[in-house]
C-alpha cells in the first residue's frame, strides 16, 4: 500500500534500506577510527524484524551481522544511539540536497512568473474578500521570498549536521583519545563534530525539523493560494495538464488540481511531525532516553520524506502552471468599485498598485543575487 502519494519521488532516500546502508556507512567510518578499514563491497545485510524488536532498535542486529562477516574489531566504543543518530544525519543530508535542488526549480519558475506578470493586474483579497488591486507578479514574488528563506535555512542546517559519538553514556570512556577519535569519525562521514555528544540534547534534530517544516509552510502557502485561484468560479490559474492525472473515479468531467492538493496536504502534516520532535526533545531524560528517542526516528524520517515529495511536486506544479491573465484583468475591472474604494473610487485598478512592481523587483534582485554554491 502506498501511504504517501508521491512516495516514489523519495525512493532510496529515507526508507528502511537507505537507513541500513547509512548505519553500515557509520560502522565503516568508526572502524577506520579503530584502525581496521573494512572492505564490504556492495554487501548490505537484511535485518530480521524480530531481532530488531528484541534489541529495541536496528543497530544490534546490524552489528551482529557485521561481526559475523568480518573478523576485525567493529563498533567497539560506540553505542546504538551513536550509530542511528549519525545515520539519520546522513539520510537528512541526502534529503536536504534533494529538497534544495527542487526548491531551486520552484524558485526559477516563480522568478519567471514574477517577471512576466509584474504588471498583470488582479484582485487582491483579504479575509476572503476583495481588498485592493495587486499583480500576479507580486503574488509570485511573495511565494519566491518564502522559497529563498527556506533555501537559506536549509543550507545552514545542511552545513552543520552533526555526528553523534558518545559511547554508553556520553563519555566515550572506552576510547583512548575520545575527542580526536570523535573528530576523525565525523570527518570520515562528512559531518560536523559539535564538541560533545548530544544523546539528550536534541537541538540538532529540532533545528533540522524546524527548517524542514518552514520549507513545507512556504510551499503550503503557495499551494493553498493556487487551490483558491484555481476554483472554477475564480479560474485565474490552472495546473498544467498531464495525461492520467487529476481524474475522478465517478465524475468524467473532473480535472482535479492533484499537485496543489498534495503540497497543501504536506504543509498540513509537517507541523505535527515537527512538534513531535520537540516533544521528544523535551523528554530526552537521563543519559539516554527511554522512549523519547525511539519516538523521534519515525517522525524525522516521515518529515524528511514529506518534504522531499512536496518539493518535487511543487516544482512540477509551478513549472507547468497556466496563468489566465485575461480572467484576472476582467475580474479586477468588474470589481473596480470595491478594489478602489480605499482611494475613493475609480474604474482603473491598474492605476492603484502602489509599490507592487518595486517589491517584485526587490524579490527578483534577491533571487538573482543568491549564493548558488
Amino acid at each position: 500500500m502506498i501511504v504517501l502519494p508521491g512516495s516514489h519521488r523519495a525512493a532510496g532516500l529515507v526508507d528502511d534500506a537507505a537507513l541500513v546502508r547509512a548505519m553500515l556507512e557509520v560502522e565503516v567510518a568508526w572502524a577506520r577510527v579503530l584502525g581496521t578499514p573494512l572492505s564490504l563491497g556492495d554487501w548490505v545485510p537484511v535485518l530480521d524484524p524480530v531481532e530488531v524488536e528484541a534489541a529495541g532498535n536496528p543497530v544490534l542486529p546490524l552489528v551482529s551481522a557485521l561481526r559475523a562477516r568480518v573478523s576485525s574489531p567493529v563498533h567497539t566504543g560506540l553505542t546504538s544511539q551513536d550509530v542511528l543518530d549519525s545515520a539519520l544525519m546522513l539520510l537528512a543530508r541526502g534529503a536536504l540536497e534533494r529538497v534544495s535542488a527542487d526548491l531551486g526549480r520552484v524558485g526559477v519558475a516563480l522568478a519567471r512568473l514574477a517577471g512576466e506578470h509584474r504588471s498583470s493586474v488582479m484582485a487582491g483579497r483579504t479575509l476572503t474578500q476583495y481588498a485592493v488591486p495587486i499583480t500576479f507578479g507580486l503574488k509570485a514574488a511573495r511565494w519566491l521570498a518564502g522559497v529563498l528563506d527556506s533555501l537559506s535555512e536549509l543550507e545552514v542546517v545542511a552545513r552543520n549536521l552533526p555526528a553523534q559519538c558518545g559511547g554508553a553514556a556520553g563519555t566515550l570512556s572506552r576510547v583512548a583519545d575520545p575527542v580526536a577519535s570523535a573528530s576523525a569519525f565525523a570527518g570520515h562521514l562528512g559531518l560536523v563534530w559539535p564538541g560533545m555528544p548530544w544523546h539528550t540534547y536534541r537541538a540538532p534534530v529540532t533545528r533540522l525539523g524546524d527548517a524542514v517544516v518552514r520549507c513545507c509552510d512556504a510551499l503550503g502557502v503557495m499551494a493553498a493560494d493556487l487551490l483558491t485561484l484555481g476554483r472554477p468560479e475564480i479560474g485565474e490559474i490552472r495546473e498544467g495538464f498531464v495525461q492520467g492525472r487529476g481524474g475522478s473515479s465517478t465524475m468524467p468531467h473532473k480535472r482535479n488540481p492533484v499537485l496543489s492538493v498534495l503540497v497543501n496536504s504536506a504543509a498540513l502534516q509537517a507541523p505535527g511531525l515537527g512538534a513531535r520532535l520537540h516533544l521528544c526533545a523535551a523528554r530526552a531524560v537521563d543519559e539516554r532516553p527511554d522512549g523519547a528517542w525511539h519516538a523521534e526516528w519515525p517522525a524525522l524520517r516521515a518529515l524528511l520524506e514529506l518534504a522531499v515529495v512536496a518539493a518535487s511536486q511543487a516544482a512540477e506544479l509551478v513549472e507547468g502552471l497556466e496563468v489566465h491573465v485575461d480572467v484576472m484583468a476582467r475580474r479586477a475591472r468588474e470589481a473596480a468599485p470595491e478594489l478602489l474604494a480605499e482611494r475613493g473610487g475609480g474604474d482603473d485598478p491598474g492605476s492603484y498598485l502602489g509599490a507592487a512592481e518595486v517589491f517584485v523587483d526587490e524579490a527578483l534582485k534577491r533571487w538573482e543575487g543568491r549564493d548558488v554554491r
Side-chain angles (χ1 to χ4, degrees), residues 86-246:
S86 297
L88 287 169
M89 292 300 106
L90 295 180
L91 294 190
R93 181 172 64 194
L96 295 184
E97 287 174 358
R98 181 76 65 82
V99 170
S100 294
D102 283 328
L103 282 183
R105 291 173 55 199
V106 174
V108 168
L110 290 179
R112 173 179 55 78
L113 290 170
E116 289 177 359
H117 297 287
R118 64 196 307 276
S119 303
S120 298
V121 179
M122 66 180 295
R125 299 171 174 90
T126 62
L127 303 180
T128 76
Q129 305 299 300
Y130 287 139
V132 297
I134 63 169
T135 70
F136 185 69
L138 177 60
K139 188 171 281 288
R142 288 173 180 154
W143 298 333
L144 179 60
V147 168
L148 281 162
D149 286 347
S150 290
L151 281 168
S152 297
E153 287 191 53
L154 293 177
E155 180 185 350
V156 171
V157 169
R159 277 203 312 263
N160 293 283
L161 292 172
Q164 179 73 277
C165 191
T171 63
L172 275 177
S173 52
R174 198 171 176 184
V175 181
D177 192 340
V179 174
S181 296
S183 297
F185 173 60
H188 293 324
L189 292 171
L191 298 173
V192 172
W193 169 237
M196 66 183 298
W198 41 281
H199 289 160
T200 56
Y201 173 64
R202 307 309 288 174
V205 174
T206 54
R207 257 195 308 268
L208 166 61
D210 289 348
V212 173
V213 170
R214 279 191 290 271
C215 167
C216 292
D217 291 345
L219 296 178
V221 167
M222 181 182 72
D225 274 348
L226 293 176
L227 286 167
T228 297
L229 297 177
R231 287 176 175 269
E233 61 270 27
I234 297 177
E236 295 179 353
I237 64 92
R238 196 171 195 184
E239 284 192 16
F241 175 73
V242 174
Q243 185 67 42
R245 176 181 290 161

Side-chain angles (χ1 to χ4, degrees), residues 3-20:
V3 176
L4 177 65
S7 59
H8 63 282
R9 297 172 185 258
L13 281 177
V14 294
D15 54 24
D16 286 350
L19 181 59
V20 172

Side-chain angles (χ1 to χ4, degrees), residues 163-349:
Q164 179 73 277
C165 191
T171 63
L172 275 177
S173 52
R174 198 171 176 184
V175 181
D177 192 340
V179 174
S181 296
S183 297
F185 173 60
H188 293 324
L189 292 171
L191 298 173
V192 172
W193 169 237
M196 66 183 298
W198 41 281
H199 289 160
T200 56
Y201 173 64
R202 307 309 288 174
V205 174
T206 54
R207 257 195 308 268
L208 166 61
D210 289 348
V212 173
V213 170
R214 279 191 290 271
C215 167
C216 292
D217 291 345
L219 296 178
V221 167
M222 181 182 72
D225 274 348
L226 293 176
L227 286 167
T228 297
L229 297 177
R231 287 176 175 269
E233 61 270 27
I234 297 177
E236 295 179 353
I237 64 92
R238 196 171 195 184
E239 284 192 16
F241 175 73
V242 174
Q243 185 67 42
R245 176 181 290 161
S248 166
S249 62
T250 59
M251 293 173 284
H253 70 283
K254 293 292 289 292
R255 181 175 144 191
N256 293 317
V258 172
L259 294 179
S260 298
V261 167
L262 293 178
V263 173
N264 189 43
S265 170
L268 295 173
Q269 295 175 68
L273 294 169
R276 194 196 309 178
L277 297 180
H278 281 278
L279 178 60
C280 293
R283 293 295 306 275
V285 298
D286 297 326
E287 279 60 59
R288 300 267 303 286
D290 57 347
W293 176 60
H294 304 73
E296 187 184 84
W297 324 327
L300 180 59
R301 290 173 62 193
L303 182 56
L304 291 172
E305 181 183 33
L306 201 64
V308 169
V309 171
S312 174
Q313 291 166 337
E316 188 174 344
L317 168 62
V318 293
E319 287 170 349
L321 195 65
E322 299 173 5
V323 182
H324 300 304
V325 293
D326 55 334
V327 178
M328 292 177 179
R330 184 179 71 247
R331 179 160 290 108
R333 288 194 303 271
E334 293 170 350
E338 294 167 84
L339 295 174
L340 298 174
E342 181 187 65
R343 187 177 67 179
D347 58 7
D348 179 14

Side-chain angles (χ1 to χ4, degrees), residues 43-113:
W43 177 75
V44 178
V46 176
L47 305 187
D48 183 340
V50 175
E51 293 180 6
V52 172
E53 181 186 33
N57 67 70
V59 178
L60 179 55
L62 176 86
V63 173
S64 297
L66 187 56
R67 285 175 171 159
R69 186 173 181 88
V70 301
S71 57
S72 51
V74 294
H75 193 72
T76 304
L78 288 186
T79 193
S80 56
Q81 189 168 350
D82 295 331
V83 177
L84 191 49
D85 280 352
S86 297
L88 287 169
M89 292 300 106
L90 295 180
L91 294 190
R93 181 172 64 194
L96 295 184
E97 287 174 358
R98 181 76 65 82
V99 170
S100 294
D102 283 328
L103 282 183
R105 291 173 55 199
V106 174
V108 168
L110 290 179
R112 173 179 55 78
L113 290 170

